[in-house]
Amino acid sequence: MCIRDSIVSALPVLKELDNKTNVLVVILRRTYERYAYELNNLKNTKFVLFEYEVKKLSLRDYIKANKVAIDKYNLMISSGLDSDLRRIIKKHENFVRCYLKKEQIQYYLFKKIFSLQGSIKGVVSIVYTTAFQVAKEMAIPTFILQHGIGGRTKELPHACDYMFAFDEKTKELLDKWLEHTVEILPLGSPRFEYAKDIRLIKRNVKKFNKKIGCDGYKRNVTYIGVGMRDIENEK
């Protein structure tokens, strides 16, 4: 699943895989529509819209998901939790229950999708996903793509089987944070290599300058003063 601009990290990997094997991508509809031009050029990749597949789940699956979520919540509350943590969970009980139910629905969704696909060689994501739980049960290796620089990873020990990292220094930090429970592969950054390739493409500077009201081959510097969230929310 691709969230916000994380698709930028996944695209170059997806394009490379598309040249070598069949690929299945579970994706949000709005993400697919935003990048449809590039995604539709992939010849060996099949896209499954997350929202559509959720609607196709049976009533039995929804009932089971709700029951399992209730059992998980009760088990969590009855376990030896720290008193402050227990108080926080009880304060946000509705949110916690909703989250557990959502995760369980996703579990049944990915289980259904994987069971219909036959042999799956691996599951790749930008972050930990419920799909990894299903993959583990089916003995399918799981992979996470590093998609940012700096700051501690949000992933927890045993989050996946393998994680692709930018370099050896990042590997050292990830090994420490993930307590050597994940095999870190410092293979570079498909995202930045992809950006470099795009940068090398010859562009019509004169035509661009004319569009923005400048003359000739004058060089311009573009400054983005807001984050991606502000751009996406702009009406």
Side-chain angles (χ1 to χ4, degrees):
M1 296 221 17
C2 302
I3 306 172
R4 293 192 179 278
D5 68 333
S6 297
I7 187 69
V8 179
S9 295
L11 260 177
V13 177
L14 188 55
K15 288 182 177 181
E16 186 66 24
L17 287 172
D18 185 74
N19 292 328
K20 299 177 179 179
T21 186
N22 294 325
V23 183
L24 173 71
V25 176
V26 182
I27 190 170
L28 294 172
R29 178 179 175 179
R30 63 180 181 180
T31 306
Y32 175 79
E33 291 175 346
R34 183 179 304 163
Y35 296 94
Y37 176 78
E38 291 197 73
L39 297 178
N40 288 340
N41 289 325
L42 301 174
K43 305 300 183 183
N44 299 308
T45 300
K46 175 183 177 181
F47 294 95
V48 173
L49 299 182
F50 178 81
E51 298 92 334
Y52 179 71
E53 293 300 320
V54 166
K55 290 179 181 179
K56 287 170 59 180
L57 280 177
S58 68
L59 179 61
R60 178 179 298 180
D61 286 333
Y62 278 106
I63 293 174
K64 286 194 299 183
N66 187 58
K67 183 180 183 306
V68 172
I70 292 173
D71 291 343
K72 284 185 175 181
Y73 180 84
N74 292 336
L75 177 63
M76 180 170 56
I77 290 298
S78 64
S79 62
L81 291 175
D82 176 84
S83 58
D84 288 335
L85 181 57
R86 185 192 302 275
R87 177 177 54 80
I88 293 172
I89 292 176
K90 293 293 290 183
K91 181 179 179 180
H92 301 283
E93 179 177 344
N94 289 337
F95 172 80
V96 175
R97 286 183 179 276
C98 181
Y99 179 83
L100 290 172
K101 183 178 180 180
K102 181 187 73 173
E103 289 295 301
Q104 200 58 40
I105 290 173
Q106 290 186 26
Y107 170 82
Y108 288 120
L109 170 66
F110 285 114
K111 192 169 185 178
K112 176 183 176 182
I113 292 174
F114 289 2
S115 64
L116 295 175
Q117 297 306 314
S119 177
I120 297 179
K121 303 300 182 183
V123 178
V124 184
S125 179
I126 299 296
V127 294
Y128 176 83
T129 164
T130 311
F132 285 3
Q133 182 181 348
V134 180
K136 183 176 181 180
E137 294 174 2
M138 299 176 69
I140 301 171
T142 55
F143 304 81
I144 287 180
L145 296 172
Q146 181 186 352
H147 61 290
I149 299 176
R152 177 164 182 162
T153 178
K154 295 181 180 179
E155 311 306 335
L156 299 174
H158 303 284
C160 59
D161 296 312
Y162 305 92
M163 181 178 287
F164 296 112
F166 293 164
D167 50 37
E168 290 290 344
K169 182 62 178 177
T170 304
K171 170 179 165 51
E172 292 177 11
L173 294 173
L174 289 172
D175 278 334
K176 178 181 178 182
W177 292 334
L178 299 174
E179 300 175 5
H180 296 274
T181 61
V182 174
E183 186 170 346
I184 310 299
L185 307 173
L187 301 178
S189 169
R191 179 179 189 175
F192 296 135
E193 291 168 10
Y194 179 70
K196 179 195 68 176
D197 293 339
I198 293 297
R199 183 174 179 269
L200 293 176
I201 296 176
K202 185 176 180 180
R203 302 187 178 185
N204 192 326
V205 178
K206 187 174 182 179
K207 183 177 179 180
F208 176 76
N209 280 344
K210 183 178 180 181
K211 182 178 179 179
I212 64 174
C214 294
D215 296 325
Y217 293 93
K218 181 179 179 181
R219 293 187 176 183
N220 301 284
V221 176
T222 301
Y223 173 74
I224 301 176
V226 295
M228 180 61 72
R229 184 187 299 271
D230 296 309
I231 294 174
E232 290 178 350
N233 295 335
E234 189 178 73
K235 295 182 179 179

